[in-house]
Amino acid sequence: EDKVVQSPLSLVVHEGDTVTLNCSYEVTNFRSLLWYKQEKKAPTFLFMLTSSGIEKKSGRLSSILDKKELFSILNITATQTGDSAVYLCAVEADSGGYNKLIFGAGTRLAVHP
Amino acid sequence: NAGVTQTPKFQVLKTGQSMTLQCAQDMNHEYMSWYRQDPGMGLRLIHYSVGAGITDQGEVPNGYNVSRSTTEDFPLRLLSAAPSQTSVYFCASSRDRGLQSQYFGPGTRLTVT
């Protein structure tokens, strides 16, 4: 059975801290791994990763994928209160005529001033 | 473009009642999906459609029906609501099977008492 596991489930930090969120997966027919940010509404897309070892970066956020060890990490440096959200990891898998997303449970990040 | 719209935003049902959650997109996307999000469980795929007239089951289809008579609309029907269907429901659409370009609607929060 396909599964995506995120850790930790929740995290509380202070502004300026650096955090690392983890995502491990066991999914057949892997196509890509996606990270989303969710703040009390619909998830918003952050990154898509398809190849091992290539870091994707957007401002203070970065992510990398290891397809041999089947995990990804999302780093946030110099955290701000606006980074408080649930971060979702999802693996896109080929399911015949459709690609499906298998989501992890999310990591709830709270950044305190 | 309005993107993906969902109505209603909130709904309370009694056990056994039926209702339809509406979803519409104005981006001419072929692929549309319904997810539910429960606390601590991430998003799970209920049903999806790869084009008008074509629908298929996702991970948790029981208790739900869908139809896709037009490209724009993808309603989700609850046949006989149960408390286990209390959840937040997200509709999503994408241009093609690559889900990194998937747009999510704002969600419908459903409570079944």
Side-chain angles (χ1 to χ4, degrees):
Chain A
E1 184 186 335
D2 294 333
K3 63 179 179 180
V4 176
V5 178
Q6 292 186 246
S7 64
L9 291 181
S10 67
L11 196 52
V12 180
V13 300
H14 288 97
E15 273 191 315
D17 289 349
T18 293
V19 298
T20 298
L21 310 184
N22 303 294
C23 175
S24 64
Y25 62 92
E26 292 176 30
V27 174
T28 53
N29 298 321
F30 174 94
R31 282 181 57 92
S32 67
L33 187 142
L34 292 84
W35 284 97
Y36 294 88
K37 180 181 182 182
Q38 186 175 28
E39 303 168 89
K40 294 188 179 180
K41 50 185 184 203
T44 54
F45 172 77
L46 293 174
F47 296 113
M48 182 182 78
L49 303 153
T50 56
S51 301
S52 284
I54 298 174
E55 186 183 49
K56 291 282 183 89
K57 215 168 154 54
S58 176
R60 295 175 295 101
L61 277 66
S62 63
S63 183
I64 199 159
L65 173 67
D66 185 328
K67 289 170 72 175
K68 183 179 174 195
E69 300 297 329
L70 307 182
F71 78 90
S72 174
I73 59 172
L74 175 68
N75 280 324
I76 309 175
T77 59
T79 51
Q80 303 171 356
T81 55
D83 295 327
S84 296
V86 174
Y87 290 84
L88 296 168
C89 172
V91 173
E92 184 184 21
D94 189 334
S95 181
Y98 185 73
N99 292 351
K100 63 178 181 180
L101 283 180
I102 303 109
F103 281 86
T107 293
R108 183 174 297 277
L109 175 65
V111 182
H112 290 172
Chain B
N1 280 356
V4 180
T5 58
Q6 291 183 237
T7 56
K9 287 192 169 63
F10 302 95
Q11 183 71 48
V12 179
L13 291 178
K14 290 188 182 340
T15 297
Q17 288 184 315
S18 63
M19 80 158 293
T20 299
L21 308 185
Q22 301 291 346
C23 174
Q25 51 89 12
D26 62 356
M27 297 172 281
N28 203 32
H29 284 173
E30 290 295 325
Y31 290 72
M32 296 187 74
S33 309
W34 276 103
Y35 296 89
R36 60 178 287 174
Q37 185 175 29
D38 302 309
M41 295 190 73
L43 279 74
R44 292 182 293 168
L45 182 65
I46 305 171
H47 285 285
Y48 65 94
S49 168
V50 299
I54 307 169
T55 64
D56 207 344
Q57 295 181 349
E59 185 186 354
V60 287
N62 291 344
Y64 307 95
N65 272 357
V66 291
S67 59
R68 184 96 181 271
S69 56
T70 67
T71 299
E72 293 77 23
D73 300 298
F74 191 42
L76 178 74
R77 293 184 195 82
L78 279 70
L79 308 171
S80 176
S84 62
Q85 294 178 304
T86 293
S87 190
V88 180
Y89 291 84
F90 290 103
C91 178
S93 74
S94 60
R95 181 182 62 245
D96 52 39
R97 63 183 291 174
L99 296 178
Q100 75 276 8
S101 60
Q102 185 166 229
Y103 290 79
F104 287 90
T108 294
R109 185 174 293 275
L110 175 69
T111 302
V112 183
T113 61

